[in-house]
Amino acid sequence: MKKAFVCIYIILFCFQMASAQRLTLDDAIKMALENRWELKNQQLQVQLAEGENDKLKAKWLPQINASVDMRWNTQLQTSVFKNAPFANGQDVKLVLGVPFNNNVGLSAEQKVYDAATKYDRQLNQASVQSQTVTTEKIKSDLKLAVAEAYFAALFQGEKLVLAEKTVERTKAYWESGKTKFEKGVLLKNDFDRLLLDYNNAQSNLNKSRQDEALSIENLKYQIGLKSEGRVELTENLTSLFQQNQSLSLDGSVDQRPEILQEQAALKINELTEQKQKARLAPVVSAYGNYTALQLNDIFNPFAAGTWFPFNYLGLKLNVPVFDGKQTAFLKRDYAIRAQVNRNNMEKLKADFDHEARSAIKTLNQEKINLEDTKANLTLAQQILETDRFRYEKGTILLSDLKNTEYSLQNAENNYLTSVYNFLVAAVRYKKAVGVL
């Protein structure tokens, strides 16, 4: 029964491994761009901005209205003619109208000229551009977050491998020491040191497993994958380092999304200022109306000879004369806002220039650190190989060999850390110069 349970467990484990989502860094970034809700919402904002063009076009379509009015005058209006000549100078009371007035009308109005229209179109184009740039900024931020999360997951995974090797090594020493202690050739204090090393290695392994699991959870969050989903990273730090070690240091901060956003905001404020001037320009509209009016003593819409049509055409000119200085105040406000945008652009350029220079220096320093730690790792491997031979020949003690192995372990950790730091510095440099 126990063997059957073990077989079932192995089969389920293999099935889970086969169903895991295999990810390269590019796959992770692509998945994040497809899944993250903030990016989906921003893409909808772009669609809304583009849809404003249709609204602007619709404003220039004829505005047509149909009306039907059915009226029953329950008491007709009375008018008085004073000193009516046709009544020998007496006052005459006249009742005007008929009990039932019905009319059916159709009116249309077409805008002919409005100086503000061209600014509305340009403002909407600038708004679409602003929303598009915001989309690119969100993409850039997501790429950075996913790349850092991917690097961190690889880093913790490789640290976990080193921790497992340390456990295996200390366990072997402890088991060997246990045999020697039982034979009486190893002191109790020396045996306790071996046990302490093994326990410390176990604790470090448990922490490494926890760190690796947390880094995977963070990566799944960054790519928008459900928490129950499994991922398997198909790359390693060394392969990614090889892809980035010849990274070009040429770049310009002018294409940073933040600067492009400020440029779009500047254009919007400049156009809005110009639009305020257009508010004082005349607006020309053409209009027309056709109405059929029925006058009758009884309610009978179909009575012949009771309908009297009339119609007219016109051209309307609306000229603003004085708006209480509202236009002047608005022009002033938007001119100030435009200057704020210009100041922000200069500040952003200075900030990003500083960020790019700092990123280059950090990247170069990490490259030097990586070369140093790689050289130290090679040296530590050589020393360990020599000390193992010396230990086998009995020329050095076990404690000396262990110290050499600890030095190698530190060199391995330092090298992994340097590769990780270099990759993070590389992706942050790309972000700094707007090429991520």
Side-chain angles (χ1 to χ4, degrees), residues 4-17:
F5 176 77
V6 172
C7 291
I8 293 174
Y9 176 80
I10 294 174
I11 292 173
L12 291 175
F13 176 78
C14 293
F15 175 76
Q16 289 178 348
M17 290 297 294

Side-chain angles (χ1 to χ4, degrees), residues 396-408:
I396 63 173
L397 299 175
L398 177 60
S399 59
D400 296 326
L401 179 61
K402 285 170 54 181
N403 289 335
T404 303
E405 288 180 339
Y406 291 150
S407 297
L408 175 61

Side-chain angles (χ1 to χ4, degrees), residues 258-276:
E258 294 87 346
I259 292 180
L260 298 179
Q261 280 181 317
E262 205 64 41
Q263 289 176 345
L266 171 62
K267 186 174 182 180
I268 288 174
N269 284 323
E270 289 177 339
L271 287 172
T272 307
E273 180 187 0
Q274 297 174 20
K275 181 182 175 181
Q276 301 312 311

Side-chain angles (χ1 to χ4, degrees), residues 36 140-150 218-219 222 436:
R36 290 293 290 264
S140 178
D141 293 340
L142 286 178
K143 289 178 182 178
L144 177 63
V146 171
E148 291 187 344
Y150 193 90
N218 181 50
L219 176 60
Q222 296 297 341
L436 184 60

